[in-house]
Amino acid sequence: MPPPLDAKVGAELKSYLDTHKLSPKDYVVSKFADHDVVILGEYHRIKENVLLIQELIPLCYINGVHVLATEFARR
């Protein structure tokens, strides 16, 4: 078990997250600004994971990302 988080560090982390937070969709799309490839890991048979990809497709396309490789899209 890791040691407890120092209260000062916890406050700094919370402040950073409050200032820089993005929705999961926006976070993934933002990664393409300086990465050619973005790999998403997911647990199989989780509806929300597939819904996220579904929502990402038009956002990525609008932002110039035109290739999606996936191992769970069968239809």
Side-chain angles (χ1 to χ4, degrees):
M1 183 167 207
L5 183 62
D6 178 86
K8 180 181 177 188
V9 172
E12 291 172 3
L13 292 172
K14 182 181 181 322
S15 174
Y16 178 87
L17 290 174
D18 287 342
T19 303
H20 296 90
K21 65 184 169 189
L22 294 171
S23 70
K25 297 180 292 196
D26 291 336
Y27 177 79
V28 172
V29 171
S30 77
K31 295 292 106 188
F32 286 103
D34 56 1
H35 294 79
D36 293 330
V37 176
V38 175
I39 298 173
L40 303 177
E42 49 85 26
Y43 290 106
H44 294 286
R45 299 185 180 98
I46 305 289
K47 179 180 178 180
E48 289 78 12
N49 292 332
V50 179
L51 293 174
L52 174 61
I53 298 301
Q54 181 182 10
E55 293 176 0
L56 279 170
I57 291 171
L59 289 175
C60 286
Y61 190 85
I62 289 167
N63 286 278
V65 179
H66 300 152
V67 177
L68 170 67
T70 178
E71 51 106 9
F72 60 75
R74 298 188 334 180
R75 294 178 180 81

